[in-house]
């Protein structure tokens, strides 16, 4: 039976109990303090030592949760989204009770709910700081990452992401995670083997946040994944080291590719963060299989899935961040694998040129629409803030131009001739490329024009006429 984290609706008796609770309401809510005391007291009874005896029958019973208790604790889960209730739970030392449950109970559903309630409570800054300052609770929660129950792992990841998003406590959690190397193995295992889409997305968000917050931790995780051949010292090994973090990220990305575009965006950004350090680039390219797998997946995404010729230009607004990450990673691989001939062929260069030029054309179209929208809203005295969209479009444009310039530098006379024949280097597309590459990449464009003169002198002259700065350099 599928377990839904959403709590069930309250029963009629429970509603009546709320209405008659009157004087013992929690804050401005209609929730009863006495009822909540009763539920928490019931939790305490469940995990008391005399109720946690060993034995096969007792252990089997501990794995199940009484239906009535489940309904009540699920209602607390729902209530904990209210700040008054969350503060009351904090005042009543509920986190200590939940810590006791997590430390002693083997019931997956109960553990999931307790972590879920703590996750809701952590959404409020004061409580998040309090939860984070409790070292014992922190250790118990991190231990939940070793759980085998996907819903519990999901709620644990959600709570961690909430805490990592709070500036005041983020460093506390980063340091705790650094102190437990086994967390790396657990997260890698989830990314490489789980088929639970929600869990993969949330774990990816946690990893993305960790890497964004702390480069040192990212480097440690990259280096932790180096596999050394058994019985052979690293320095004597002729084989390239295998970095586990990249294959695990790729496996999760493949799982999410068709099922969750937002999740795919997260994992592409993780790869992009890895390429911001040399060790991360080496983690991708140093092992031939990993480098090829990464390239194949990302190449297929940009050439056959995102921003296709029959897509409306506006779709770029939905794809701008994931495309920026993908092009950034592809560009890093392309630049660092100069000796890999399979990356420098017309079968690679021409489709990428076609995709990059189309993206740049769509960026220009989207930017014009944003400008027109801003002007229209200004005339109608409407408040509008296109700044964020424009910011991401500019980043995508900068990354695309850099990558396109790298490919142009590697073009041969034969590849240019093939591109003219197939249409990837038509006059219209070359013009569009030049508009974006000039003036920052003038030397690259000038070298391309020289090759073009050898292949199609008329087209080269036409382009120089259209771009006077190139004519001056001729």
């Amino acid at each position: 039976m599928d377990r839904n984290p959403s709590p069930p609706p309250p029963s009629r008796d429970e509603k009546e109990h709320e209405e008659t609770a009157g004087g013992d309401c929690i804050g401005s809510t209609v929730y009863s303090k006495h009822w909540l005391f009763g539920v928490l007291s019931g939790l305490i009874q469940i995990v008391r030592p005399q109720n946690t005896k060993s034995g096969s029958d007792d252990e089997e019973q501990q794995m199940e949760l009484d239906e009535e208790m489940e309904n009540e604790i699920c209602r607390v889960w729902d209530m904990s989204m209210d700040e008054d209730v969350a503060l009351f739970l904090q005042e009543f030392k509920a986190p200590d009770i939940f810590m006791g449950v997590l430390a002693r109970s083997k019931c997956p559903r109960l553990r999931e709910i307790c972590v879920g309630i703590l996750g809701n409570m952590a959404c409020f800054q004061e409580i998040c700081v309090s939860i984070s300052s409790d070292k014992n609770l922190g250790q118990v929660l991190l231990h939940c990452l070793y759980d085998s129950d996907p819903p519990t792992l999901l709620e644990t990841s959600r709570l961690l992401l909430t805490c990592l998003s709070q500036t005041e406590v983020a460093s506390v959690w980063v340091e705790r995670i650094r102190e437990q190397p086994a967390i790396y193995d657990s997260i890698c295992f989830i990314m490489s083997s789980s088929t639970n889409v929600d869990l993969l997305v949330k774990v990816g968000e946690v990893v993305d946040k960790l890497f964004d917050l702390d480069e040192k931790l990212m480097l440690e995780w990259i280096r932790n994944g180096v596999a050394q051949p058994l019985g052979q010292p690293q320095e004597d090994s002729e084989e390239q080291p295998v970095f586990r973090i990249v294959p695990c990220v790729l496996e999760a990305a493949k799982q999410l590719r068709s099922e969750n575009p937002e999740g795919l965006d997260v994992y592409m950004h993780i790869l992009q963060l890895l390429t911001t350090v040399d060790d991360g680039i080496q983690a991708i390219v140093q092992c031939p299989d990993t480098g090829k797998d990464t390239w194949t997946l990302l190449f297929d995404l940009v050439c056959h899935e995102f921003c296709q010729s029959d897509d409306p230009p506006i779709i770029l607004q939905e794809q701008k961040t994931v495309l920026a990450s993908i092009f950034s990673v592809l560009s890093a691989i392309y630049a660092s694998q100069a000796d890999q001939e399979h990356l420098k062929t017309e079968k690679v260069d021409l489709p990428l040129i076609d995709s990059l030029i189309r993206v740049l054309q769509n960026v220009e179209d989207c930017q014009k629409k944003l400008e027109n929208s801003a002007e229209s809203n200004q005339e109608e005295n409407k408040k509008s803030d296109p700044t964020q969209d424009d910011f991401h479009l500019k980043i995508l444009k900068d990354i695309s131009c850099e990558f396109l310039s790298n490919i142009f530098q590697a073009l041969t006379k034969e590849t240019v001739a093939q591109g003219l024949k197939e249409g990837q280097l038509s006059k219209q597309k070359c013009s569009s490329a030049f508009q974006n590459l000039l003036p920052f990449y003038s030397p690259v464009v000038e070298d391309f024009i020289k090759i073009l003169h050898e292949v199609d002198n008329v087209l080269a002259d036409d382009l120089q006429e259209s771009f006077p700065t190139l004519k001056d350099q001729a």
Side-chain angles (χ1 to χ4, degrees):
M1 182 180 73
D2 292 334
R3 290 184 292 166
N4 188 343
S6 300
S11 66
R12 182 184 299 177
D13 290 342
E14 289 170 336
K15 286 182 178 179
E16 291 173 357
H17 185 76
E18 279 184 355
E19 293 168 357
T20 58
D24 77 328
C25 290
I26 301 171
S28 60
T29 73
V30 295
Y31 301 124
S32 165
K33 295 177 183 178
H34 284 84
W35 177 84
L36 187 54
F37 285 151
V39 177
L40 294 176
S41 297
L43 273 180
I44 295 172
Q45 294 298 321
I46 289 177
V47 295
R48 275 191 172 179
Q50 60 264 36
N51 291 331
T52 56
K53 297 176 183 177
S54 59
S56 57
D57 292 340
D58 292 311
E59 288 180 5
E60 185 176 343
Q61 189 174 6
Q62 289 174 42
M63 296 293 287
E64 301 296 330
L65 184 61
D66 176 80
E67 184 177 352
E68 183 178 353
M69 172 57 76
E70 180 177 353
N71 290 338
E72 290 189 335
I73 194 65
C74 271
R75 191 160 173 221
V76 175
W77 191 358
D78 190 25
M79 291 162 54
S80 63
M81 290 187 290
D82 185 288
E83 186 171 10
D84 284 339
V85 174
L87 288 169
F88 183 77
L89 286 169
Q90 177 71 14
E91 182 184 350
F92 191 64
K93 307 294 183 184
D96 290 342
I97 298 173
F98 299 142
M99 179 170 63
V101 172
L102 294 171
R104 296 188 182 94
S105 177
K106 297 180 181 179
C107 174
R109 179 60 169 161
L110 182 57
R111 293 169 60 81
E112 172 201 357
I113 296 169
C114 288
V115 178
I117 295 172
L118 286 168
N120 282 351
M121 294 173 65
C123 291
F124 305 104
Q125 185 177 359
E126 177 187 337
I127 302 175
C128 185
V129 172
S130 176
I131 289 174
S132 300
S133 63
D134 188 330
K135 187 174 181 180
N136 291 331
L137 179 57
Q139 295 302 317
V140 169
L141 289 171
L142 288 179
H143 193 77
C144 291
L145 286 173
Y146 311 138
D147 209 298
S148 61
D149 180 56
T152 302
L153 288 168
L154 174 61
E155 292 307 318
T156 305
S157 302
R158 184 173 73 89
L159 188 152
L160 274 178
L161 184 62
T162 300
C163 294
L164 289 169
S165 300
Q166 288 280 356
T167 308
E168 298 89 338
V169 300
S171 60
V172 173
W173 289 97
V174 170
E175 193 56 38
R176 285 174 182 163
I177 291 170
R178 178 182 285 114
E179 291 170 356
Q180 295 194 36
I183 290 176
Y184 165 82
D185 294 316
S186 179
I187 285 179
C188 279
F189 179 77
I190 293 169
M191 291 191 295
S192 62
S193 63
S194 178
T195 57
N196 185 310
V197 171
D198 292 335
L199 176 58
L200 285 173
V201 173
K202 197 58 65 178
V203 165
E205 289 174 342
V206 170
V207 174
D208 188 46
K209 191 68 176 178
L210 283 170
F211 286 2
D212 195 38
L213 286 169
D214 196 279
E215 183 179 295
K216 183 180 176 183
L217 177 69
M218 179 172 72
L219 285 167
E220 288 175 3
W221 280 24
I222 292 169
R223 293 162 185 165
N224 281 347
V226 179
Q228 183 173 319
L230 293 176
Q232 198 172 16
Q234 186 68 46
E235 58 270 20
D236 296 333
S237 173
E238 295 182 359
E239 294 186 23
Q240 297 288 358
V242 178
F243 295 82
R244 292 178 55 198
I245 187 69
V246 177
C248 293
V249 169
L250 288 177
E251 195 59 41
K254 291 173 186 176
Q255 184 72 30
L256 295 172
R257 177 175 178 174
S258 59
E259 298 188 58
N260 194 298
E262 293 80 10
L264 179 64
D265 195 346
V266 171
Y267 280 92
M268 292 302 101
H269 190 252
I270 293 173
L271 287 175
Q272 183 182 8
L273 287 173
L274 289 173
T275 63
T276 61
V277 294
D278 186 61
D279 281 10
I281 296 175
Q282 294 307 310
I284 295 173
V285 304
Q286 199 166 4
C287 175
D289 288 343
T290 302
K292 190 174 182 180
D293 287 348
T294 306
W295 179 271
T296 300
L297 173 62
L298 274 58
F299 180 85
D300 193 47
L301 284 170
V302 296
C303 292
H304 302 115
E305 194 157 323
F306 291 125
C307 198
Q308 298 302 291
S309 57
D310 55 349
D311 289 336
I314 195 66
I315 201 170
L316 195 70
Q317 288 287 12
E318 299 175 9
Q319 301 174 352
K320 56 184 180 290
T321 56
V322 68
L323 277 170
S325 295
I326 292 173
F327 282 144
S328 181
V329 177
L330 286 174
S331 183
I333 297 174
Y334 194 88
S336 64
Q337 288 198 305
D339 59 334
Q340 298 294 317
E341 290 301 321
H342 70 278
L343 297 183
K344 306 294 176 67
T345 68
E346 60 191 44
K347 291 182 180 179
V348 169
D349 290 337
L350 295 177
L352 283 174
I353 287 173
D354 194 48
S355 179
L356 285 162
I357 291 175
R358 183 164 55 250
V359 166
L360 288 169
Q361 290 171 333
N362 288 350
V363 165
E364 184 179 1
D365 187 275
C366 288
Q367 286 178 326
K368 287 179 180 178
K369 281 184 168 61
L370 284 173
E371 290 172 6
N372 294 336
S373 175
E375 290 174 3
S376 175
N377 287 331
Q378 192 172 10
E379 290 174 5
E380 299 175 14
N381 294 321
K382 290 182 179 178
K383 290 185 178 180
S384 175
D385 183 19
T387 310
Q388 193 70 8
D389 283 333
D390 191 42
F391 173 73
H392 287 296
L393 287 171
K394 286 178 179 176
I395 289 177
L396 176 57
K397 179 179 178 178
D398 290 346
I399 291 172
S400 300
C401 285
E402 182 180 358
F403 190 16
L404 185 60
S405 73
N406 288 338
I407 298 175
F408 266 38
Q409 290 181 73
L411 290 178
T412 63
K413 180 179 175 180
E414 292 73 23
T415 304
V416 171
Q418 188 69 24
L420 291 173
K421 180 180 178 181
E422 296 179 0
Q424 294 98 337
L425 292 173
S426 65
K427 180 180 179 180
Q428 188 268 336
K429 289 186 178 179
C430 284
S431 296
S432 181
F434 291 2
Q435 286 171 4
N436 287 280
L437 292 176
L438 294 171
F440 299 110
Y441 298 96
S442 294
V444 175
V445 176
E446 290 161 13
D447 289 344
F448 172 76
I449 284 290
K450 291 176 184 177
I451 297 176
L452 190 58
H453 269 294
E454 299 179 34
V455 180
D456 190 331
N457 195 53
V458 174
L459 176 57
D461 287 341
D462 285 348
L463 287 169
Q464 285 183 304
E465 287 290 336
S466 301
F467 295 89
T469 56
L470 294 177
K471 190 175 181 181
D472 294 340
Q473 297 292 329

